[in-house]
Amino acid sequence: MKLATLRLDGATAAARVEDTTATVIDGYADLSELLADADWKTVAEKASGRTVNLADADYAPVAPNPGKIICVGLNYATHIKEMGRELPEYPTLFAKFKEALTGPYDDVVVPEYAAAQLDWEAELAVVIGKQAYQVPAAEAEDYIAGYSVINDYTMRDYQYRTLQWDQGKTFEKTSGFGPVLVTDYTLGTRIETRLDGAVMQSATTDDLVFTPAGLVDYISHIVTLQPGDVIITGTTGGVGHARKPARYIQNGETVEVSIEGIGTIRNTTIVK
């Protein structure tokens, strides 16, 4: 099943997505609100509300109001090697705030003072479906609602001002997220970034050092994961900052991030 949050009539609504149409799930303003219902899957499957033509759909961030967004750094073997590091024993965790999220096809508007070193990071996002505390990896899939696509858009100069990365990772409305949540996904499909059509990152999601199940295990032994929380699982090799010479996103350029079997997000950067 595929789910989304759509902008409709000046508000938003949770929806079940089919091939060319979406069915509104009445009573739920967005997917975050739907996931807070313990019976969310059945509610979504049985929804029979308004039908929306996807050709005209305006997608909001797929889960727009997570209580927590937990990011994982250095989690693809290829990316770790290009950054000159050893494979980690434990996940490197940091935070992104929900204000950083934007729609999968929205423009990303960046203040000029933060536009010197704009970089892309194609990532698989994991969305939690029920409360998880001290969950072993073998049971973790039962706690995952589904998977989506996100660009962990990064201001590298801000990121490396200190040893803490958050300040370069959570600029307002910069992380395209969506377009859908896929409830059934298996690691191993192609993940890619294209910058104005040119391939910048290309790998498969089974290059992850720490899998979604492993991350749910690790994180839930630190803090309770709540329905709608998001885990962003890390990026693969090919980021602009690691290139020689470095290649950063310029004003007007479009970043497209896709994961086979889930979907594609596409955001144009506007520097103001």
Side-chain angles (χ1 to χ4, degrees):
M1 184 165 55
K2 296 181 179 180
L3 303 172
T5 298
L6 301 180
R7 298 175 179 128
L8 294 170
D9 305 325
T12 59
R16 186 185 69 238
V17 174
E18 284 84 33
D19 290 337
T20 60
T21 61
T23 300
V24 171
I25 304 170
D26 288 331
Y28 298 89
D30 54 46
L31 193 54
S32 298
E33 188 173 297
L34 175 67
L35 292 174
D37 187 329
D39 202 27
W40 65 267
K41 186 173 285 188
T42 300
V43 170
E45 289 171 343
K46 293 184 176 180
S48 58
R50 170 183 171 185
T51 299
V52 177
N53 187 333
L54 290 180
D56 303 319
D58 184 4
Y59 289 84
V62 65
N65 291 297
K68 294 184 286 297
I69 304 173
I70 300 171
C71 305
V72 184
L74 304 172
N75 196 27
Y76 277 80
T78 51
H79 181 49
I80 294 167
K81 290 173 184 176
E82 78 174 356
M83 299 303 279
R85 298 172 184 261
E86 299 294 325
L87 293 182
E89 183 178 359
Y90 303 106
T92 298
L93 303 182
F94 59 97
K96 187 186 289 286
F97 303 116
K98 67 180 182 180
E99 287 81 3
L101 302 178
T102 196
Y105 308 120
D106 292 349
D107 288 346
V108 167
V109 179
V110 178
E112 189 171 4
Y113 59 80
Q117 295 184 358
L118 307 178
D119 207 350
W120 55 83
E121 290 198 2
E123 306 213 15
L124 173 70
V126 177
V127 182
I128 300 301
K130 63 180 180 180
Q131 189 178 85
Y133 184 60
Q134 297 180 349
V135 172
E139 299 174 13
E141 286 293 336
D142 292 340
Y143 294 80
I144 295 173
Y147 301 82
S148 194
V149 182
I150 195 165
N151 181 7
D152 183 22
Y153 198 98
T154 303
M155 285 66 175
R156 295 294 183 193
D157 51 346
Y158 272 77
Q159 178 186 4
Y160 294 119
R161 284 182 172 183
T162 71
L163 295 177
Q164 302 301 319
W165 295 352
D166 289 24
Q167 58 196 334
K169 296 285 192 173
T170 196
F171 268 73
E172 191 89 5
K173 294 183 179 178
T174 56
S175 293
F177 185 25
V180 295
L181 180 80
V182 176
T183 58
D184 186 15
Y185 172 75
T186 301
L187 292 178
T189 66
R190 181 65 48 184
I191 180 170
E192 286 191 340
T193 297
R194 294 175 183 267
L195 181 65
D196 275 359
V199 176
M200 296 290 148
Q201 292 180 286
S202 186
T204 55
T205 53
D206 55 2
D207 190 39
L208 285 169
V209 177
F210 303 103
T211 65
L215 291 170
V216 169
D217 179 333
Y218 187 76
I219 297 167
S220 75
H221 280 79
I222 298 169
V223 64
T224 301
L225 292 167
Q226 301 290 351
D229 283 352
V230 177
I231 302 171
I232 304 176
T233 58
T235 200
T236 185
V239 297
H241 189 71
R243 292 170 179 265
K244 299 188 185 303
R247 173 66 165 96
Y248 298 115
I249 305 165
Q250 303 300 307
N251 182 37
E253 290 186 327
T254 298
V255 180
E256 183 177 281
V257 176
S258 61
I259 300 178
E260 183 184 2
I262 300 178
T264 299
I265 63 175
R266 190 179 303 106
N267 302 101
T268 298
T269 299
I270 306 298
V271 178
K272 286 188 176 180

